[in-house]
Amino acid sequence: MLKKGIWSLLFVICFFTLNVCSTDMQMIKLKKKEISVLADSINSYLGALRLSIKSTALYTESLYKNQDHIIKSVNKRKFKMSASGVFYKPINDSGSAVFISGYVPINESLKKVIYLTEPIDQEFKKQISRFPEISQIYYNDKSSCNRIYPFFDVLTQYEPKTDITSFNFYYLANEKNNPMKNSVWVNEPYIDPAGRGWMISSICPVYYNDKLEGVVGLDFDIDRIIRKYSKSSGLNYLVMMNDGLTVSCTQEIQMLLDLPDSKSVKYIETIVQDKTRTIDFNLLNNNNNEVRSLAENIMQNKKYLTATFNNKIFYVIIEDVKETNWKLVVFIKK
């Protein structure tokens, strides 16, 4: 009788365990489908952003073809030279801020870049209206002329004689790095010289007579997009990764993995060169062995993992965001 009772108990335990596992696996299967749809949605949105900046580049190219007519119609009195040798627009007229840094000596020919691109402000406003997640949109000319919307005080934010072409949001679109002349991504977060914190950019070259004249770009705060899709999906533990680097994550993930706060950037000095994320944001360098192990598995293209943090078990589901070569990683509490 005792043996029979033990076997009965074991049968109940095994049946219960198998039933729980089966239930868990069914839940995971459903979540994987849900997260796959979410990744596709993010991918499509990012693709639309990239196509929008391509459209802006084509519009800018058309301005070069009509520059004589445009330049004649522009009110040149609203621009001036600063004491530091910067050509700029001092008053906000609801259009772009403009900035010729003086890295290339400023002459009338250089000023014409600002004049001929004056109509682009309407294109900038149209794109921001279409995509509210855009933080700013701009055109950078080969001679370090910058037209950027929305307007801000460029004299307090920018350094005179800055070489704008030395930044990733310019050179990644040049002839060497982008021979196909397509719109491309700056997919690693960097600190925006215009003062808006951590940014991701989509950029596209502008050619006229087969010569690179400049690069148009749009910046957006990826944290806004993560929050948007976290809210719509009801998934709280989301992180976007570029290799082992954290591109963006929800606050829940930040606390769970003990990541630095990416929402506040202190501008102690003006930004005159690329400033990307430090190793603190790289999960492969995390102090927690479990986090490092998880990151290594994700790098090996695993699509499903389990992990334990703070004595809590999480199912981890990974999907590719091909548009930017990122991975969307979602943690689900067991």
Side-chain angles (χ1 to χ4, degrees), residues 5-72:
I6 291 171
W7 281 110
S8 297
L9 180 60
L10 287 172
F11 176 79
V12 169
I13 291 170
C14 290
F15 177 80
F16 180 75
T17 303
L18 288 170
N19 191 50
V20 168
C21 290
S22 175
T23 302
D24 282 359
M25 290 310 297
Q26 280 203 329
M27 181 272 290
I28 291 164
K29 193 174 180 180
L30 288 171
K31 285 294 181 184
K32 285 187 76 172
K33 286 183 179 179
E34 180 184 337
I35 293 163
S36 177
V37 170
L38 179 64
D40 286 344
S41 181
I42 295 172
N43 196 68
S44 295
Y45 184 83
L46 294 172
L49 281 171
R50 181 176 54 79
L51 290 176
S52 77
I53 204 62
K54 176 66 175 179
S55 171
T56 302
L58 292 172
Y59 178 81
T60 308
E61 287 175 6
S62 74
L63 299 180
Y64 278 88
K65 296 172 185 176
N66 297 285
Q67 55 185 291
D68 291 339
H69 172 72
I70 295 168
I71 289 170
K72 287 178 183 178

Side-chain angles (χ1 to χ4, degrees), residues 298 302-305 316-320 327-330:
I298 291 171
K302 301 284 179 65
K303 297 299 180 184
Y304 166 67
L305 302 162
V316 183
I317 298 171
I318 305 103
E319 288 289 340
D320 293 328
K327 291 186 182 296
L328 174 65
V329 184
V330 181

Side-chain angles (χ1 to χ4, degrees), residues 86-100:
V86 166
F87 188 72
Y88 76 116
K89 183 171 66 177
I91 297 173
N92 184 357
D93 60 356
S94 300
S96 296
V98 299
F99 174 80
I100 303 182

Side-chain angles (χ1 to χ4, degrees), residues 44 49 59 68 84 117 155 158 215 221 295:
S44 295
L49 281 171
Y59 178 81
D68 291 339
S84 59
T117 56
L155 295 187
Y158 290 153
V215 175
D221 179 354

Side-chain angles (χ1 to χ4, degrees), residues 199-237:
M199 287 291 146
I200 296 292
S201 302
S202 183
I203 56 178
C204 190
V206 172
Y207 281 84
Y208 178 59
N209 289 337
D210 292 325
K211 292 182 179 179
L212 179 65
E213 293 296 335
V215 175
V216 292
L218 61 83
D219 297 343
F220 64 92
D221 179 354
I222 187 63
D223 285 341
R224 290 180 65 187
I225 294 181
I226 282 290
R227 289 194 297 270
K228 171 184 173 180
Y229 284 101
S230 173
K231 185 176 180 180
S232 66
S233 67
L235 298 167
N236 296 324
Y237 290 85

Side-chain angles (χ1 to χ4, degrees), residues 121-277:
D121 285 3
Q122 297 308 312
E123 174 72 11
F124 286 171
K125 291 176 183 179
K126 182 180 80 172
Q127 297 297 7
I128 286 185
S129 176
R130 285 181 61 205
F131 300 101
E133 281 75 25
I134 294 176
S135 299
Q136 58 195 9
I137 186 167
Y138 46 85
Y139 176 57
N140 291 314
D141 157 85
K142 62 187 178 184
S143 299
S144 292
C145 304
N146 170 241
R147 172 178 287 277
I148 184 166
Y149 180 84
F151 182 94
F152 60 91
D153 183 357
V154 296
L155 295 187
T156 60
Q157 191 62 45
Y158 290 153
E159 190 76 22
K161 293 184 170 52
T162 296
D163 179 9
I164 295 175
T165 67
S166 69
F167 285 91
N168 55 7
F169 51 76
Y170 188 95
Y171 65 74
L172 288 177
N174 67 17
E175 303 98 316
K176 178 183 176 181
N177 294 303
N178 184 23
M180 299 303 292
K181 304 177 183 179
N182 291 325
S183 49
V184 294
W185 287 100
V186 183
N187 66 355
E188 181 180 350
Y190 65 91
I191 296 178
D192 171 38
R196 295 183 183 272
W198 291 107
M199 287 291 146
I200 296 292
S201 302
S202 183
I203 56 178
C204 190
V206 172
Y207 281 84
Y208 178 59
N209 289 337
D210 292 325
K211 292 182 179 179
L212 179 65
E213 293 296 335
V215 175
V216 292
L218 61 83
D219 297 343
F220 64 92
D221 179 354
I222 187 63
D223 285 341
R224 290 180 65 187
I225 294 181
I226 282 290
R227 289 194 297 270
K228 171 184 173 180
Y229 284 101
S230 173
K231 185 176 180 180
S232 66
S233 67
L235 298 167
N236 296 324
Y237 290 85
L238 275 67
V239 57
M240 198 77 77
M241 288 175 55
N242 178 29
D243 291 332
L245 190 74
T246 305
V247 175
S248 176
C249 67
T250 58
Q251 188 174 6
E252 288 85 351
I253 283 288
Q254 182 191 329
M255 295 174 65
L256 184 70
L257 304 185
D258 193 24
L259 295 172
D261 182 8
S262 65
K263 294 177 178 59
S264 60
V265 176
K266 292 182 179 179
Y267 283 82
I268 300 171
E269 57 188 6
T270 52
I271 306 298
V272 295
Q273 62 184 4
D274 290 341
K275 287 189 178 292
T276 54
R277 292 200 161 166

